[in-house]
Amino acid sequence: MADHVDLVLEQWHAQRPDLDVSPMGIIGRLSRLHRLIDAELCRTFAAHGLDRASFDVLATLRRSEPPHRLTPAELMRASMVTSGAVTQRLDRLESRGLVKRTPSESDGRGVHVTLTEEGYALIERVLPDHLATEHRVLAALSGERREDLARTLRDLLESLGDTTGGG
């Protein structure tokens, strides 16, 4: 069975047989998968009144040690949200009563962001749905193939410098 990327590769082979277009097979499929998976995840988040970045902020706070509190800088480093988006997301989440910001006891200029009871309850409801969506998206792959793919993608990310720096 062929996919859209196979068609693109065939066309390039016909037009430019002198070039190795094989990277397009991987990058093209990763790009297409990203769009398709993102749409699935966004539907799940929207069903709970969230977007991807808001989910990520709530999930990052939830997976931190109790009392599920981080500084905005820690939140940015631990999440998949850019620094410019953190303040905007926190403003939105705080206005919905899902997080609260409090002054730092040790640094007069700093603040801590904490999940509220409502925020905690929401992420507890969303997380199982989110995981069910991810399982459904990956259903075509056996457990062994998922593990192989995860290792391969980790190797690629590490080769591009995307590491935790902690070993």
Side-chain angles (χ1 to χ4, degrees):
M1 183 183 280
D3 65 6
H4 177 78
V5 176
D6 287 325
L7 174 64
V8 170
L9 293 174
E10 286 176 26
Q11 291 170 332
W12 277 120
H13 283 300
Q15 297 300 312
R16 289 297 308 266
D18 57 310
L19 294 177
D20 174 12
V21 297
S22 62
M24 288 182 180
I26 296 169
I27 303 301
R29 286 184 178 98
L30 286 172
S31 295
R32 291 176 69 82
L33 278 168
H34 176 267
R35 284 192 303 277
L36 292 168
I37 292 169
D38 192 54
E40 293 295 321
L41 296 177
C42 286
R43 275 192 281 283
T44 300
F45 301 143
H48 293 277
L50 295 173
D51 59 20
R52 173 183 286 286
S54 295
F55 169 82
D56 194 46
V57 169
L58 295 175
T60 299
L61 287 167
R62 174 59 182 92
R63 71 177 187 261
S64 69
E65 292 292 323
H68 309 296
R69 178 177 73 182
L70 298 169
T71 67
E74 291 169 331
L75 191 57
M76 184 191 70
R77 283 191 299 271
S79 72
M80 298 183 208
V81 179
T82 64
S83 61
V86 168
T87 299
Q88 179 186 33
R89 298 300 174 200
L90 292 178
D91 288 347
R92 259 191 235 155
L93 292 169
E94 190 171 38
S95 72
R96 292 181 57 190
L98 301 174
V99 300
K100 67 178 179 180
R101 287 182 269 202
T102 55
S104 170
E105 301 86 28
S106 60
D107 177 3
R109 298 173 299 154
V111 298
H112 286 106
V113 180
T114 309
L115 276 176
T116 63
E117 286 183 30
E118 186 178 341
Y120 184 93
L122 178 59
I123 195 62
E124 289 295 295
R125 288 190 308 271
V126 176
L127 188 58
D129 287 350
H130 171 66
L131 290 170
T133 299
E134 289 186 339
H135 280 288
R136 184 175 43 78
V137 165
L138 296 173
L141 302 177
S142 69
E144 183 178 336
R145 289 187 72 195
R146 288 181 192 192
E147 290 173 16
D148 289 344
L149 180 58
R151 278 192 296 276
T152 299
L153 293 173
R154 182 186 309 109
D155 290 346
L156 186 56
L157 285 167
E158 288 175 354
S159 78
L160 295 171
D162 189 6
T163 64
T164 62

